[in-house]
C-alpha cells in the first residue's frame, strides 16, 4: 500500500511540474503574439491618420504671346544689289536690309539691320521707237530672330516714258525734209531719193539720242507697306 501511494505521488508531482513548465511557455507565446500584433495596430493607426499634404508646385509660366506688326506698317530697306528695267528680269530675287527698327507698343519687334529678300515682279526695258521702261519690285520675306518669315507687301514701281513719239516725229521730219530737198533738186525722182536720205538721217538721229533705263543702284532706300499683319514670336 505504501508503495502504491508513493507511485501515485510521483505521478502527481510529474504532472504538476509539467503544468508549471507549460504555463510560462504559453505566457511567453501569448506575449510574443501581442508584441507581433502591436506594430500591426500602429501601422493601421498610421494608415488611418490623414497624410500631410505635399507643397503644390507653382503653375508653369504662360507661353509668351506673339507680337503682331499690323498691316499698313512701312518697312524701309536698302537694296543689297542693283536692279533695273534692263539689267533685271521678272522673278529675279534681290537682297535688302531693314533701315529702321519696327516697334509695337514701344517694344522693338524687328531690329534695324534685319535681312530681307524681295522679287522683281516685272522689268521692261525701253524700246527703240516706242514704249517706255518699267520696273516693279516687292518684298517677300524678312529674317526675325534667325527665322525667315514670309511677308506680304505692296509693290514699288518706277516708270520711264519712252521717247517713241519724239523719235517718230524726228524720223518723219527727216523724211519730209529730204523730200523737200529732193523736190527742189529735181522733182519726182529727186524727191524719192531725198525722202530715202531724209528717212535715214531721221533714223540715225533717233538712235543717236538714245534713252536711259530705270536703274535702282545698290544701297538705294525703298519703302514697302505691309498688306497683311505679321506675327513675330518674341
Amino acid at each position: 500500500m505504501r508503495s502504491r501511494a508513493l507511485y501515485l505521488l510521483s505521478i502527481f508531482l510529474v504532472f504538476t511540474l509539467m503544468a508549471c513548465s507549460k504555463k510560462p511557455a504559453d505566457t511567453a507565446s501569448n506575449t510574443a503574439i501581442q508584441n507581433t500584433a502591436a506594430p500591426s495596430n500602429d501601422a493601421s493607426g498610421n494608415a488611418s491618420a490623414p497624410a500631410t499634404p505635399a507643397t503644390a508646385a507653382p503653375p508653369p509660366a504662360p507661353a509668351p504671346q506673339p507680337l503682331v506688326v499690323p498691316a499698313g506698317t512701312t518697312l524701309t530697306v536698302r537694296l543689297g544689289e542693283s536692279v533695273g528695267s534692263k539689267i533685271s528680269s521678272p522673278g529675279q530675287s534681290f537682297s535688302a536690309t531693314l533701315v529702321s527698327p519696327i516697334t509695337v507698343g514701344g517694344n522693338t519687334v524687328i531690329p534695324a539691320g534685319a535681312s530681307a529678300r524681295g522679287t522683281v515682279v516685272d522689268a521692261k526695258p525701253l524700246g527703240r521707237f516706242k514704249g517706255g521702261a518699267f520696273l516693279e519690285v516687292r518684298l517677300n520675306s524678312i529674317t526675325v530672330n534667325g527665322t525667315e518669315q514670309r511677308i506680304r507687301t505692296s509693290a514699288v514701281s518706277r516708270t520711264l516714258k519712252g521717247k517713241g513719239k519724239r523719235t517718230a516725229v524726228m524720223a518723219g521730219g527727216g523724211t519730209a525734209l529730204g523730200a523737200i530737198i529732193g523736190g527742189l533738186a529735181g522733182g519726182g525722182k529727186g524727191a524719192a531719193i531725198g525722202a530715202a536720205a531724209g528717212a535715214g538721217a531721221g533714223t540715225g538721229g533717233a538712235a543717236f539720242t538714245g534713252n536711259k533705263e530705270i536703274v535702282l543702284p545698290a544701297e538705294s532706300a525703298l519703302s514697302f507697306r505691309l498688306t497683311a499683319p505679321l506675327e513675330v514670336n518674341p
Side-chain angles (χ1 to χ4, degrees), residues 30-151:
N30 293 336
T31 304
I33 293 172
Q34 291 176 358
N35 291 338
T36 303
S40 175
N41 293 335
D42 292 342
S44 62
N46 292 337
S48 61
T52 303
T55 304
Q65 297 298 314
L67 300 175
V68 179
V69 182
T73 301
T74 299
L75 306 178
T76 301
V77 299
R78 290 194 185 279
L79 297 178
E81 57 209 77
S82 298
V83 293
S85 57
K86 188 173 183 178
I87 63 176
S88 302
S89 57
Q92 178 181 330
S93 64
F94 61 88
S95 61
T97 304
L98 188 66
V99 174
S100 304
I102 305 301
T103 59
V104 174
N107 298 317
T108 298
V109 178
I110 309 176
S115 299
R117 294 203 66 81
T119 301
V120 176
V121 179
D122 198 3
K124 291 184 174 69
L126 280 170
R128 177 171 293 183
F129 293 106
K130 62 181 180 179
F134 181 73
L135 178 67
E136 184 177 29
V137 296
R138 190 191 308 271
L139 280 186
N140 294 332
S141 66
I142 191 165
T143 301
V144 185
N145 298 328
T147 302
E148 186 177 13
Q149 294 190 230
R150 301 288 296 178
I151 59 176

Side-chain angles (χ1 to χ4, degrees), residues 10 22 29 33 49 58 69 74 83 99 102 118 122-123 143 153 161 175 185 201-202 206 226 230 232:
S10 298
K22 185 177 181 181
S29 176
I33 293 172
V69 182
T74 299
V83 293
V99 174
I102 305 301
D122 198 3
T143 301
T153 69
K161 292 182 179 180
T175 302
L226 286 177
L230 171 63
V232 178

Side-chain angles (χ1 to χ4, degrees), residues 54 58 66 73 93 118 152 177 183 189 202 206:
T73 301
S93 64
R152 296 173 59 185
L177 179 60
K189 184 177 179 181

